[in-house]
Amino acid sequence: MKRIIALAITLVFLVITGCSDYLDVKPQGIVGDKELSTPENIDGFVISAYAQLANDHYTIPNLLWPYGDLRAGDAYKGGDGPADISTFHAFEIFSTIQPDMSAYAPSVLGDINNKKWERQFVGISRTNLALSRLKDVSAEAYPLKNSREGELRFLRGHYYFDLKILYNRIPWFDETASVSDIENTSNVKYTSQEVWDRIAADFRRAAELLPATQNDKGRPNKFTAKAYLAKVLLYQAYEQDDNYNVVNINTGKLQEVVTLVDEVTASGNFSLASDFAENFLFEFENGPEAVWSIQRSHLDGTTIGNLDFSAMLSGPMSNEYGCCWFHIPSQNMVNAFKTGENGLPLFDSFNEADLTAEDYVDPRLNHTVAMPGKPYKYEPALVYTVEDWTRRPDIYGNYSSLKENVSPDCECFERIAPFMSSSKNTNLIRYSDVLLWKAEALIELGQLDQAREIINQVRARAAASTGYLYDENGVSLANYKVEGYSSFPDKEYARKALRWERRLEFAEEGIRFFDLVRWGIAKETLDAYFSTEKTKRTYLVDAQFEKGKHEYLPIPQQQIILSKGLYIQNNKY
Amino acid sequence: MKEMISLKFRLFIPAFLLMACLLSFTAKAQFTVSGTVYDGSDNSTLPGASIVLKSTNTGTITGPDGKFRLEIPAQKSVLVVSYLGFEPKEVEITKSISLSISLTQSVNELEALVVTGYTTEKKKDLTGSVAVVDINQTRNLPAGNIIKNIQGRVPGVFVTTDGSPGSGARISIRGNSSLNNNDPLFVIDGVPTKSGMHELNPNDIESVQVLKDAASASIYGSRAANGVIVITTRSSKNENPRVELSSSLSFQRYTTKLDPLTAEERGRMYWQAAVNDRLSPANPIYTYEWNGDFNNPILGSVSYPEFIDPDKTMRAADTRWFDEISRPSLQQSHNISVSKGGENSRSLFSAGWHNNNGIIKETNFSRYNVRFNSSFDLLNDKVTIGENFTISYQNEVLINSYDVLVTSLIQQPIVPVHTVDGGWGGPAPGMTDRQNPVRLIEDNKQNRYQYSRPFGNVYLQIVPVKNLSFKTSFGVDYSLYYARTLQKSYTSGFLVEDDNTISNNVSLRGNYIWTNTANYKITAGKHNIDLLGGIEQIKYKEEWFNASRQGLVSEDLNFGYLSSGSKNQMNAGGGRINALMSYFAKANYSLKDIYLLSMTVRRDGSSRFGKNNRYGNFPSISAGWRISEENFIKNNVSFPLYIKLRAGWGLNGNQEINDLAIYNIYQAVYSKEDPIWDNPTQTYRPNLGTAYDIMGIDQGQLPSGYIYSQIANDDLKWESTAQTNLGIDFTILEDFSGSVDYFIKKSSDILYFRTLLSAVGEANKQMVNGGDIENRGIEVMLNYHKTWHGFTFDLSGNLATLKNTVIDIPDELLINAPLSPLIPNEAKTELDRSVMIGRSVNSIYGYVVDGIFQNPEEVAAHAAQPGKAVGRLRYKDLNGDNVIDEKDQDFIGTVDPKLTYGANLYAEYKGFDLTLYVQGISGISVYNGYKTYTDFSSLWPGTNWGSRILDAWSPTNTDSDIPMVTLLDRNNEGRLSTYFIESGSYCKLRNIIVGYRLPASTIAKLNLTKARIYVQGQNLITLKSKSFTGVDPENPNYAFPIPAIYTLGIDITF
């Protein structure tokens, strides 16, 4: 009996102390799905899609200098020697690029090739998320619906564009794809041309939906979309075979490029800045030439500001900056700025001797390259020297990159020891780029004179851009001599002139390598570059560009593994 | 050795009942014996010792003063005097007499009570694998953390630690069974916690027991997969108030020091590296006079300017940075406890202060502890009410010792500590962008965190009828962290911070634990049944916020409050909640005291899991056979022999995952997290921001949005670990005892982050279950005890083996291997299923170095290896495809120690005692990250390098295995390879203690009960493998160096 009582007491005791809903605790600090489909919150998803533009990291920059300049013979990696971010060193010499770069020093950074791939898809997923949310509201409830859809398609096109030129074979899907659809989409589901078509379609639709002007400087308008569409079509026009040879140039697409650029010009939205320098000065950001740029900011309530992370490693070593001297202009590129008595580039002899103070040069050189004895970033009192401003001159020479950097006196300048950067915007497309796309298309279409006019327009602006280029004594920094072309004798010459012009105009802006691949001349250009540059920079002795392979980066090994064989690796990797 | 036996107090209640019981049986007295029972080791009295007339029920127990009085029949009798933990003694009585009986401590601890889940059992009745830490052996060690002191003392318990004053220690029991949290569960006075033990005062601890196998731990269910450490704090046991004082003072110094180059050597090696590369040695600092012939370079002289910076403020120096940041230091601990026990109440009060100045300058940790434990018996002992409560307060200087240590190694010696005008020296152009370590110390020494942790429980126990008891216990474990830190502005070489910042970081977190248990004992003839049932509820909450401002006019911490800042107001905050609800039951059955059976089951629910799988069941069963009690042995063995065979199986769980793991997560991330370093070590990678300057206005509040960062998983469930344990306990001839255990522990449904294809976007991580990991090993513990002519001798040793194997992992799981925290992140590789199965999760994967290329012929003959050259490392072409690439990697080491061991010798003679303790591990690989600095000039060209580089390969020094110095790492020699993998085996003389106990006559004169002084030395000798080129294989990378410690201490009781 006693035992039964004991048991009963025990049971009662146990039951009263337990309660069933004890485990239903509310999750803290996250929002519910349903609350987010209001116009204000959808606007939030749109902003978030933009924010990825400014979410780059110095090892994964959205200005493509490691991918576009280091691989093109325009810049050395710089820094503390080859081991300082050795994945970038691999980009520079090609021979050590491999699908898994996670062990490359310093490996604390992880596989930054994989991270680049990942970050592009973060941007794509943010735009897709916002696009699918947009379907939850009507245009009546949300008058900006069309414009926002246009902006999102533009952004998606942009994120895919960079992914395409970096990796070539990429998985493409839109906002209707579920997680399992995405996990079952191969990178070779669509051909290269089919992917281009899809990227172009987004910009085409964006151009239809977007208004002709936007109040917010960071949002693309109809003509920004048309300009980007022109860029896509220009890339697509050069049709490649499996070994990345250009096997056909599609004139229909080139014709459309010309039409689109004409529409952009006719809109009156954009023009060339009066001085080349203004494209690279904080005071003039969002100026007339800025077609598409990343809006950077500081003192904005974020931890360190939405600073220009793309430029964070590029500062020189003087006390005003201190770190990290990456992205160093190559001797070959500096020599390319030499001009002859006629004010034209020295196409054949430019690299026979290194630039001297006596040579005639294009003024864009001193906007682009910091050189010993000359003022840094238009500050006459701030003189760049080898001793105090360089880091490893014995390895990487004496120069430094200027365009992305700012004066230490700029209100946009921020130190984040040991790094520094600024809130200056990052140019992604300048109007001169748009004009030269048209010139390029015209040349391929055989309309050489029209093309020449455009090139001369760009050169004339360059020639006029000497207003900032004086030292403390008011003496010009170099012997400047730039003239327009009086004629293009043939298509080959015109091509040479266009291609040279692009090199000088966009030097150190992360563009050149993609031009070379588009034109199908990466192999020959780099072979020529290495053969001479190796003798000046011994670390390049291992450099070797393999045709049909190094035009694109490998699909990151981690993605191949995660896809369980669905993804196909790029050629020869 | 008196305190060694746990829980004398716990004996007191049953003993008291026994006395009451026995007294009623007392027969007509014929004569009276009286006497006092002493502890033979220190002549203190033993209250509660039992005195029984042999072969009768007649008996008594000693009172609080150790005295007893017993009436016995007037005939020749034998009294059996026993006390838990002491050898029973038989005393022959022939006449009325006053006896003085001295008992010696028993090595045979079979009768000792062991705290297992929610109850206690005698060691002889245990069927699981439970190790009892001999707290007495660690009593005099000055460490601030009890976990540090048990390093090497329990087989299967692996402790890793560093030398920081805050006494960090990490513990793992029987290997890594999870990919997440491998920390054990701690249960302190019945209150479970996962929090660190360094807040506990080691002096308050009465006993530590480790529940290693599932049979003993599964009563703790979902949190027990990594083992359980049960800690009981002290209580009182004596009638008269007793005061115990203990004090120790320790001197610490570093014995392990790296040897970086001097300013002159650094300059010379730079020249050598440059000319090896056929580069003109153009160094911003050094200038060289040399013959200019790359084919036969000869260095004339190295010179450097008076000042190394353009502003001429930094005079060239030859700074020994490690000497600048380190110091010999003092550590001290002082404790007092006052206790009193009686028939119906017991109470203990203790207070302690521990202060530790680290061997890195200005580092300091200080801790204050107060404890009050008490209990009261009411209503004829039918009700007991009590509490255990402690509060600890600690503060520590916030100096990042990792940064200080690394920069002290790599900052160039030519950099002065200070500029000529008293400012900070720092890197000059061309040098690495790292801070002056002295500045890191001086600019942060005013910053401390404060941390306070109230911890304890109140309980009520009711015994309504005989053999039935109910207990309810309500425990709290809260902590408050507060830090106010001032980051000063500075100029240190080219490193400049113009803004100062004042920050506050506050968090309040913790949980309450409500436990209700019922216990019922049935004894029927040869059958003994012990039943336990219970319910436990735990709710954890945490809230935190940070705030900061910049622009303080004064950099004095007395001024530095948030309101003093004038610009850049920033803040952030968050919180989390989780809950656990558990039901459990246990049944122990013993037949004839020979056959033992134990079963437990626990049902745990956790808010961390989806509704579909919220509850998990964790059963266990174990059996013991005291084979030596069987007649077939008893009748055939003439000497004392005790053997018990044990076998058990059980299931434990793991639920240590993020509280939000089951949810879809949409969140606003105004400011991107960790923007500078983009740290990939976090399981949740840092979130990217959602704010953007869409209007192009450059400053001010930005519009912001949301991200979708995680995909929900409603099916998420427990990770479970099944463990089988086979064991044997034995005692032979009462002197020699030991135990051997063999276990197989297999974790299934392992919780891990599934990495989805990156194409999925931001929400490409999801917590899921899958995969199996197995650990198996053997654990041996041996003790030998002898008393001989007043000489007491006690030798104990243990060893354990462990093998970890991945049985299966899902396709999409990439293991960031090795998992071990011993290996710095940069040496970890992501490995997938194809290579991990059959390996340890702690495997290291990389290239194999096959010597140095000696001549051009060797270079030409080797596979295509970009950057290969004479003097460079040759990597093995493992797959034979004549190309060295990522496919030429293999498993090159394991971070699990194959064998861990410890041995303790204790000897005592006439008040003198000596302890020697040796501990070691072997069969372990370590990644020696220092080698990237000590052996290479190319991996960190702007830093200082180690002196090993002076012996690098050269055409005239071809025997060296250090590659030729170069500035250009063309050969990618920083890649993870066997070059950096070294043997981490070591054997350390951890302690020597020499103590002297004042004789009874002296202490009586001083009116004391006990007094002892001792000297102690810690970490005195280290034996290490020849292949290890670093300084301390226990601490191979950038951790706080473990110092040698010399202590003088005194313990007084009165």
Side-chain angles (χ1 to χ4, degrees), chain A residues 543-558:
Chain A
Q544 185 66 47
F545 184 94
E546 188 177 344
K547 182 153 181 57
K549 174 179 182 182
H550 287 136
E551 285 85 351
Y552 296 98
L553 292 172
I555 307 297
Q557 187 64 24
Q558 190 182 114

Side-chain angles (χ1 to χ4, degrees), chain A residues 80 107 183 300 303 394 558, chain B residues 270 670-671 754 826 830 941:
Chain A
D80 208 3
S107 56
E183 292 218 283
D300 54 12
T303 316
D394 41 3
Q558 190 182 114
Chain B
Y270 187 93
Y670 185 81
S671 177
R754 175 185 170 219
E826 67 251 40
E830 283 187 334

Side-chain angles (χ1 to χ4, degrees), chain A residues 272 336-340 342-347 361-364 432 436 452-465 481-486 488 497-498 500-502 504-505:
Chain A
L272 292 183
F337 282 90
K338 285 197 259 182
T339 54
N342 58 1
L344 296 177
L346 302 172
F347 293 127
V361 294
D362 188 310
R364 284 174 288 191
S432 63
L436 290 173
R452 188 171 58 82
E453 279 171 30
I454 295 173
I455 293 170
N456 284 346
Q457 187 188 350
V458 171
R459 289 181 71 75
R461 195 269 302 265
S465 298
K481 200 171 189 73
V482 177
E483 299 293 340
Y485 293 91
S486 54
F488 282 165
L498 179 276
W500 207 275
E501 202 59 36
R502 286 191 64 82
L504 304 188
E505 177 74 14

Side-chain angles (χ1 to χ4, degrees), chain A residues 3 14 24 41 48 54 57 80 107 115 119 126 183 218 295 300 303 306 322 388 394 423 542 558-559, chain B residues 270 310 433 494 520 535 614 670-672 676 678 689 691-692 694 698 706 754 758 762 826 830 941-942 970:
Chain A
R3 283 181 194 172
L14 293 181
D24 290 330
N41 285 331
S48 174
H57 186 252
D80 208 3
S107 56
K115 281 185 166 183
R119 296 272 174 129
R126 287 186 178 191
E183 292 218 283
Q295 303 292 323
D300 54 12
T303 316
N306 273 353
D388 298 332
D394 41 3
S423 64
D542 309 303
Q558 190 182 114
Q559 302 303 324
Chain B
Y270 187 93
D433 49 1
F494 62 68
Y520 189 51
I535 287 187
R614 189 159 264 179
Y670 185 81
S671 177
K672 51 193 167 206
I676 290 289
D678 194 43
Y692 188 65
I694 194 75
D698 196 58
Y706 309 94
R754 175 185 170 219
S758 290
E762 207 140 19
E826 67 251 40
E830 283 187 334
R970 290 168 30 215

Side-chain angles (χ1 to χ4, degrees), chain A residues 3 6 9-10 13-14 17-19 22-25 27-28 30-31 33 36 41 44-45 47-48 50-55 57-58 60 80 82-83 95-96 98-100 103-104 107-108 115 117-119 121-122 125-126 129 133 173 179 182-183 216-219 282 293-304 306 309 317 319 321-324 387-388 390-392 394-395 411 415-419 423 538-539 541-542 557-559 561-564 567, chain B residues 270 277 279-280 282 284 310-311 429-431 433 468 470 490 493-496 512 514 516-518 520 522 534-535 537-539 568 570 575-577 579-581 605-607 611 614-615 660 663-666 670-672 675-678 680 685 688-696 698-700 702-708 711 754-762 764 811-812 814 826 830 832 847 866-867 885-886 938-939 941-942 967-970 972:
Chain A
R3 283 181 194 172
I9 293 172
T10 308
F13 178 72
L14 293 181
T17 56
C19 49
Y22 188 75
L23 297 177
D24 290 330
V25 300
Q28 307 288 300
I30 60 176
V31 283
D33 198 352
L36 295 172
N41 285 331
F45 281 109
I47 287 295
S48 174
Y50 278 104
Q52 185 61 10
L53 292 170
N55 273 339
H57 186 252
Y58 50 81
I60 323 152
D80 208 3
S95 57
T96 56
Q98 57 184 38
D100 177 1
Y104 279 25
S107 56
V108 67
K115 281 185 166 183
W117 174 280
E118 182 180 282
R119 296 272 174 129
F121 278 109
V122 168
S125 74
R126 287 186 178 191
L129 186 64
R133 290 271 167 190
F173 44 85
V179 169
I182 294 169
E183 292 218 283
D216 292 336
K217 290 171 187 163
R219 297 187 199 269
F282 169 73
S293 29
I294 301 174
Q295 303 292 323
R296 309 285 186 175
S297 54
H298 68 147
L299 306 175
D300 54 12
T302 64
T303 316
I304 57 167
N306 273 353
F309 268 69
M317 300 304 285
N319 276 345
Y321 300 89
C323 197
C324 304
E387 296 72 36
D388 298 332
T390 67
R391 186 166 183 181
R392 293 265 85 87
D394 41 3
I395 304 176
E411 61 166 296
R415 286 178 173 280
I416 322 123
F419 305 107
S423 64
T538 57
Y539 75 96
V541 69
D542 309 303
Q557 187 64 24
Q558 190 182 114
Q559 302 303 324
I561 293 171
L562 291 172
S563 78
K564 304 180 192 94
Y567 286 4
Chain B
Y270 187 93
D277 296 330
L279 293 172
S280 168
D311 299 338
M431 295 183 185
D433 49 1
L468 174 67
F470 296 109
Y490 61 85
F494 62 68
L495 300 173
V496 179
Y512 70 78
W514 190 21
N516 294 291
T517 51
Y520 189 51
I522 304 167
I535 287 187
Q537 284 171 281
I538 298 177
K539 189 164 272 181
N568 283 7
M570 304 277 287
R576 64 193 194 98
I577 300 181
L580 274 168
M581 175 86 223
S606 166
S607 65
K611 282 228 157 71
R614 189 159 264 179
Y615 280 88
L660 299 176
Y663 295 101
N664 266 325
I665 296 183
Y666 288 92
Y670 185 81
S671 177
K672 51 193 167 206
I676 290 289
W677 301 111
D678 194 43
R685 70 157 176 235
L688 301 168
T690 56
Y692 188 65
D693 180 22
I694 194 75
M695 291 179 285
D698 196 58
Q699 295 188 15
L702 305 178
S704 181
Y706 309 94
I707 54 167
Y708 178 36
I711 303 172
R754 175 185 170 219
T755 304
L756 285 73
L757 277 173
S758 290
V760 171
E762 207 140 19
N764 75 340
D811 288 334
E812 68 273 11
L814 299 176
E826 67 251 40
E830 283 187 334
D832 69 350
Y847 296 85
D885 60 15
E886 65 203 46
S938 56
L939 299 179
L967 297 177
L968 305 173
D969 177 39
R970 290 168 30 215
N972 194 14

Side-chain angles (χ1 to χ4, degrees), chain B residues 710-735:
Chain B
Q710 182 177 280
I711 303 172
N713 181 0
D714 286 333
D715 297 327
L716 203 62
K717 61 177 179 185
W718 307 96
E719 171 181 316
S720 67
T721 300
Q723 193 174 173
T724 306
N725 193 91
L726 301 172
I728 177 168
D729 298 334
F730 59 88
T731 304
I732 302 167
L733 290 171
E734 292 178 349
D735 293 333

Side-chain angles (χ1 to χ4, degrees), chain B residues 129-144:
Chain B
S129 179
V130 179
V132 179
V133 178
D134 188 344
I135 271 298
N136 210 48
Q137 289 180 358
T138 68
R139 188 71 84 196
N140 292 138
L141 304 183

